[in-house]
């Protein structure tokens, strides 16, 4: 398991355990912490799994695919560190990753 730090919309912080190979969205939902709706179930069509990746980690993650980049850009809360957590596959190299759940739209 990989330890990932998640900051929820209230600023509460928790370290969750994520299974390599799962999506970050799945890991957050399984942790029962943070309020990620993920209404499309990870099909990259709703953006309700929007997170901000800690700047120290943005270069370490794979670049978002075009569909993810285009979808997240439409968010009113879009930042350069925005990602859709359903499109981030957890790897062993992500130990210590920190993300913040974006405000709900
Ligand atoms: S769960 Fe819908 S885009 Fe990520």
């Amino acid at each position: 398991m990989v330890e990932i730090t998640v900051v929820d919309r209230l600023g509460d912080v928790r370290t969750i355990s994520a299974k390599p190979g799962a999506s970050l969205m799945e890991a957050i939902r399984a942790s029962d912490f943070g309020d990620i709706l993920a209404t499309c179930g990870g099909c990259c069509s709703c953006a309700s799994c929007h997170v901000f990746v800690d700047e120290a980690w943005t270069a370490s993650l794979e670049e978002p695919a075009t569909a993810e980049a285009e979808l997240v850009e439409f968010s009113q809360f879009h930042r350069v560190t925005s990602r859709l957590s359903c499109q981030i596959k957890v790897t062993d190299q992500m130990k210590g990753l920190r993300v913040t759940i974006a405000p709900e739209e």
Side-chain angles (χ1 to χ4, degrees), residues 15-103:
T15 299
I16 66 168
S17 293
K19 186 176 180 181
S23 74
L24 179 58
M25 175 274 283
E26 292 168 327
I28 294 171
R29 292 197 67 180
S31 75
D32 209 21
F33 176 73
D35 193 15
I36 282 193
L37 288 175
T39 52
C40 77
C43 296
C44 197
S45 63
C46 72
S48 64
C49 64
H50 184 183
V51 296
F52 305 123
V53 175
D54 189 278
E55 286 185 18
W57 279 90
T58 53
S60 304
L61 302 182
E62 283 189 20
E63 289 287 316
T66 302
E68 179 191 351
E70 289 179 351
L71 184 58
V72 80
E73 276 180 21
F74 281 107
S75 168
Q76 64 179 309
F77 302 109
H78 178 261
R79 299 179 187 170
V80 293
T81 58
S82 288
R83 292 295 305 267
L84 298 180
S85 59
C86 69
Q87 301 302 302
I88 298 174
K89 187 156 286 194
V90 175
T91 68
D92 289 322
Q93 288 71 40
M94 290 181 183
K95 183 171 188 269
L97 172 68
R98 182 183 177 101
V99 299
T100 300
I101 298 172

